Amino acid sequence: MAALRAVAGTPGGLRRQAYPSTMPVLARLGLVEERPVPRTRHSDGSAWFLTGPGREAMRVYGWDEA
């Protein structure tokens, strides 16, 4: 849930190197997807974003831990 919430809290896309073992699993589940972003000093040109099902999961499970 922490990784999914991190993506949800980063509208411009979560850097691809974040949560390296978790994000591929969330992608296989269809909750996140990798999309291109402008290359910067901190970005290799791609980032993680929520998909429709990922946004729905956030509505069900909550956007924060509270």
Side-chain angles (χ1 to χ4, degrees):
M1 282 309 298
L4 199 54
R5 286 182 175 127
V7 175
T10 313
L14 184 67
R15 64 185 166 79
R16 207 171 62 80
Q17 298 83 359
Y19 298 95
S21 61
T22 305
M23 298 311 285
V25 174
L26 294 177
R28 282 193 298 276
L29 293 171
L31 300 175
V32 299
E33 65 184 358
E34 194 175 352
R35 285 192 268 159
V37 295
R39 269 187 164 332
T40 66
R41 213 172 102 207
H42 301 288
S43 169
D44 65 357
S46 61
W48 295 109
F49 292 86
L50 284 180
T51 61
R55 283 188 292 281
E56 181 60 29
M58 294 309 301
R59 279 191 281 281
V60 171
Y61 296 110
W63 295 88
D64 58 33
E65 295 182 43

